[in-house]
Amino acid sequence: MSTAFEKIWETDNPPSTQWPLYTRGNVGEVFPEVVLPFTWDLIGKAAEDGWRQGFVRMGLVADGDFSDAEDMIILSVFGGYCYINASYVRLLGVRAPGGKVENIDTMFFGESDAPAYEARDGDKNFKASLMLGKTLLRLLSTKELPAMEQDKVKVDRFVDRYPGDDASNDELMAYCQSFPPFFEHLFFRHIDNTFSHALVAGAMTDLVVKADKVDLLVSILGGIGDIESAAPAVAMWKLSRLDAGSAEYEAAFAQFLADFGTRGPNEWDIGSDPWGFRPGMATAAIDAMRRADESHAPGTQATRLAAVRDDALVEVRGELNRIDRFQFDKAYGATVLFSQARERSKTTVIKAIHSVRRAQNVMHLRAAADGGVDARWKSCLLNVDEFTRYLEDPGSFTDLIEERAELHGRLSNLIPPFIVDATVPDVDTWDARASSARALTSGDTMQGIAGCSGVARGRARVVLDPGEPGDLGPGDVLIAPITDPSWTPLFLAAEAVVVDVGATMSHAVIVSRELGIPCVVSAVGATRSIPDGAEIEVNGDTGVVTVL
């Protein structure tokens, strides 16, 4: 293992010396693949600055937390893969009144071999704790979030300012380069919602613990409604009930692309193709749903989840005294509000990113016609300055692009370490994605984190690409490496979902609770150790997966 930082990929930066612990947890859903240089050069620093703004607004940041010598601390890229700074995020569990580091780990990072937190001078900060306490009181009294609608209007205006496919390259590049300050604002809002949810959910959890009803935590958050990231799956379900190829289906599918064409795999990366660019990915998910009966319908599941949720809420409230019930009701209401807001702010950001993607695509097509690379993602292997010069002389960048494409392929075939502690392990020590772990056999169990309540049995179907679900259908359990919105529609085709990574704040958990699919996340190595076709049982209440 090397002790000195070695830049492996174009976007890499050295780990922070002050805050040295990093994790792929949570951010692996945002950037599941190797980050393309065009994207990171355009928005990477803006994301870091927006995140810091969010923490300042919450009151978490104390004097001396961030060194001017380190531009990237909260977000970093090692070997092409994006990481979150666990050292700093853990401070929320240290500085927030009543907070616990263990809860932050579970909420954001899931099961991992991360070293235990060790207190350091300066971690505790009275002023920060006081500010976080005031923030919590403000959040608990929040009933609506008008800023969310304001941001939607701002994004619509940004999209309307798109110069058009006939605009010059200079105009299109100027549009792209105008994006970072706006992205910083949008990402600030997303972080503010995400960690506001963490604070109020922590307060709610403490009261559930006080009621001695921890086993109901999953149930009380099921089917809360208005989760925007679940909307594409609901729309796809309706499409799956129509005859493929019919005029009704074609019209409905066209509307689906108009509404959700910005979504898809790895959707935060400008170089990744969404459903609007590759409709076949959406039709593959719709076809998988066709095999499912009405018991899988989102409406049916929503009714079931609402009944379970209401019973669980009555049970929890019944164990609390009058004052605690009052506090619980406020904390629960705020948890629902900010859970919805987190997914809504994500949808808003993605819409803006896609408008930049459109501009990059037009410029790419022109360069390709002038001797440049055919694959759009390859043109995003260049940073912004390189891409600008590439437009003038595409052929002169062919060797550089192919060199990076080869390295991209090599890194993409490796599993990045889930935890980085001060030193990035040599790439030669990373496991290959094709490597297999010890296969589980009859009677073996895996312990993950409970995502959505319910117990289901079925055949394990290991799916590594949401665009290629194979014969996934009724009676199957989806085993996935990670989930982003492109995976969500496949939930409705399966009996349950098991994910290699994730935590209680992960996309898989939030959406599975909305769709009513038993879910276990942070089942480390599930895609490599659960044999495809094995009969398994998934317990979404305990987080246990059993090979039958």
Side-chain angles (χ1 to χ4, degrees), residues 458-462 530-536:
R459 294 178 303 276
R461 289 292 181 237
V462 179
I530 296 178
D532 188 75
E535 290 289 329
I536 66 173

Side-chain angles (χ1 to χ4, degrees), residues 124-140:
K124 290 186 177 181
N125 184 281
F126 177 76
K127 182 179 178 181
S129 295
L130 182 63
M131 292 298 294
L132 284 165
K134 289 182 177 178
T135 296
L136 179 57
L137 291 175
R138 170 176 61 82
L139 297 175
L140 291 173

Side-chain angles (χ1 to χ4, degrees), residues 343-382:
E343 297 303 299
R344 189 173 301 134
S345 60
K346 183 188 300 181
T347 301
T348 304
V349 175
I350 295 305
K351 185 175 181 179
I353 288 175
H354 184 64
S355 196
V356 175
R357 182 184 289 121
R358 287 178 60 197
Q360 193 279 335
N361 182 52
V362 171
M363 292 184 284
H364 154 71
L365 291 174
R366 291 173 182 170
D370 195 25
V373 293
D374 290 329
R376 190 178 70 85
W377 74 271
K378 285 188 174 183
S379 67
C380 288
L381 290 167
L382 302 173

Side-chain angles (χ1 to χ4, degrees), residues 238-262:
K238 293 178 181 178
L239 283 165
S240 74
R241 304 299 96 178
L242 302 176
D243 291 333
S246 67
E248 184 182 11
Y249 174 85
E250 294 299 332
F253 187 68
Q255 186 60 52
F256 170 83
L257 292 179
D259 294 338
F260 304 111
T262 61

